[in-house]
Amino acid sequence: MGESGLPIEPVYGPEQLAGWTPASQLGAPGSYPFTRGVYPTMYTGRPWTMRQYAGFGTAAESNRRYHQLIEAGTTGLSVAFDLPTQMGYDSDAVVSHGEVGKVGVAIDSIDDMRLLFDGIPLERVSTSMTINAPAALLLLLYQLVGEEHGVAPGQLSGTIQNDVLKEYIARGTYIYPPKASLRLVSDIFAYCQAELARFNTISISGYHMAEAGATPAQEIAFTLADGIEYVRAALAAGLDVDEFAPRLSFFFVARTTLLEEVAKFRAARRVWAQVMRDQFGARNPKSQMLRFHTQTAGVQLTAQQPEVNLVRVAVQGLAAVLGGTQSLHTNAYDEAIALPSEKAARLALRTQQVLAYETDVTATVDPFAGSYAVESMTDAVEEAARALMDTVEDLGGAVAAIEKGYQKSEIEQSAYRIARQIDDSERVVVGVNRFAVPDDEIYEPLRVDPAIEEAQRERLARLRAERSNDDVQRHLEALRKAASGSDNVLYPMKDALAARATVGEVCDALREVWGVYTPADAF
């Protein structure tokens, strides 16, 4: 049985593809239904974007790591933010104590954003930001810094995750209730359409659901169901589908089960193309394309014999490439223990470079096309995913299903099944329940200096003493007024951030108007 609970035959042959029609189920690369990839030439012209996820401690420390990655050959940056920033709190908030700079970089204001991207050529580097509830703030701070660098907004390129629905399902870094969150997402769509045409406005994410235990079929089903909800919200806000849909993007995991992962990616493209064309009437081919970023599976990394993770990540990265990803982050081998060391981060990037430049996987498009096994598995994963999406629709759509706890419950059941299989040694994890060694070598992890929190608190105190607090309050009041009505909140939000309002102050202004979400609200 595969990860999705679907049977895998020991041998596949023509009988598995009886009635299968390549013209309708595959099409040509770059053509509907995009099963074979979203571009005609895929990697034969140039490889995928190698986008390494990094961020820790202070903005200055993370900036040094970004320069190291660029010098090592990365072609895109991906910013990790600390937990207070993800939750819309300043570093000096009581609730932030002990978490500042731990799982990502601390960003409190435009001052930190300036440091984070100091010396980075924003007109040439594409930047992805893993941020959700406060995504609008970090996007605007990036735009403001770009303008200070002399880069026009239309030249800036990158992606904000901005996928708050999956936070209610699997991750938990939500702030506002779902209705207000969808309003904010729609405002971002409209703002980027007018101001930041090259920015991907959302990265609809299955990765975190997969890390929480979702099967491949659940991962794409619940992700695409969330995508449908975002499209509906944008249409309800008066946006035209072919104006905003080309900037939608997705984010998936790559596991070591290579064949099923390739099938998953191909099935996801086919389902999304059909949904956008037939359900939403999208006519622009770019609106029908499922473009996605992939990250290798952190949940499959082990603290035991961590060097074995280098092999796991190579297989996972190969699955993403054979599945047609547009960009890729390969995890460092030591990430099951701590934030990656400089050497481990460089080796993770080298893994992608070996795949791109020392193998022949970039020589031809979709080499698995027509494979008895992969085409059969693609059809099976698609069928399973569509059944789950139908259930979500029967419950009233993604938000209604979230409020009923459906997706979360399904994922938790899958996670429990996997945990039991590992505990009972039915599922082999090399170095954990088989092929273990008595004593691993001592590993010295990268540690974040606890003094960072106090340094951030001091920076905030200086900022509040130096800025015009009257200007900040005036702009925050304009933000509250827009949030209370129907105006796009990003314009007054940008003014407040430019006046050096902090991330926490801006999020608090919206909390006053929209309130906050707690899981108990759903029941």
Side-chain angles (χ1 to χ4, degrees), residues 199-229:
F199 238 85
N200 294 318
T201 54
I202 193 168
S203 179
I204 307 165
S205 304
Y207 180 87
H208 308 89
M209 298 186 216
E211 292 286 277
T215 68
Q218 289 172 338
E219 179 191 356
I220 62 171
F222 298 152
T223 303
L224 300 189
D226 285 353
I228 289 169
E229 197 78 33

Side-chain angles (χ1 to χ4, degrees), residues 222-300:
F222 298 152
T223 303
L224 300 189
D226 285 353
I228 289 169
E229 197 78 33
Y230 290 125
V231 172
R232 286 172 174 158
L235 293 174
L239 302 180
D240 179 84
V241 67
D242 281 323
E243 290 182 347
F244 69 83
R247 302 314 301 175
L248 302 180
S249 64
F250 293 79
F251 177 22
F252 296 114
V253 78
R255 303 170 179 83
T256 53
T257 44
L258 186 147
L259 295 179
E260 188 172 1
E261 290 300 282
V262 172
K264 176 192 75 178
F265 296 131
R266 300 168 91 251
R269 279 193 293 268
R270 194 155 68 201
V271 173
W272 186 248
Q274 183 270 322
V275 166
M276 293 305 293
R277 187 190 70 173
D278 298 344
Q279 185 171 336
F280 293 113
R283 292 292 170 260
N284 184 346
K286 291 182 178 179
S287 301
Q288 302 165 4
M289 293 177 182
L290 184 139
R291 297 171 302 113
F292 64 94
H293 171 70
T294 308
Q295 181 172 338
T296 55
V299 74
Q300 289 188 319

Side-chain angles (χ1 to χ4, degrees), residues 1 11 31 124 151 167 191 213 232 316 363 424 435 456 514:
M1 303 293 281
V11 178
S31 299
R124 297 199 305 272
V151 182
E167 300 296 326
Y191 181 86
R232 286 172 174 158
Q316 294 161 352
D424 295 341
F435 315 112
Q456 283 295 113
W514 291 340

Side-chain angles (χ1 to χ4, degrees), residues 105-176:
V105 62
I107 299 294
D108 291 317
S109 72
I110 192 171
D111 293 8
D112 293 324
M113 207 67 164
R114 289 179 182 127
L115 281 175
L116 186 64
F117 291 103
D118 183 44
I120 303 292
L122 300 184
E123 73 280 7
R124 297 199 305 272
V125 171
S126 170
T127 302
S128 173
M129 292 183 277
T130 302
I131 195 73
N132 293 282
L137 286 76
L138 278 301
L139 173 69
L140 293 170
L141 288 172
Y142 189 79
Q143 180 185 350
L144 287 165
V145 169
E147 290 171 352
E148 291 178 356
H149 287 198
V151 182
Q155 289 181 277
L156 294 171
S157 65
T159 303
I160 47 171
Q161 194 160 105
N162 192 30
D163 176 15
V164 74
L165 290 182
K166 65 95 172 47
E167 300 296 326
Y168 304 114
I169 296 171
R171 196 159 174 267
T173 62
Y174 44 74
I175 300 176
Y176 316 111

Side-chain angles (χ1 to χ4, degrees), residues 169 222 226 392 397-399 401-402 405-412:
I169 296 171
F222 298 152
D226 285 353
V392 171
V399 170
I402 287 168
Y406 170 67
Q407 299 97 318
K408 189 171 185 291
S409 175
E410 290 291 303
I411 292 170
E412 287 172 348

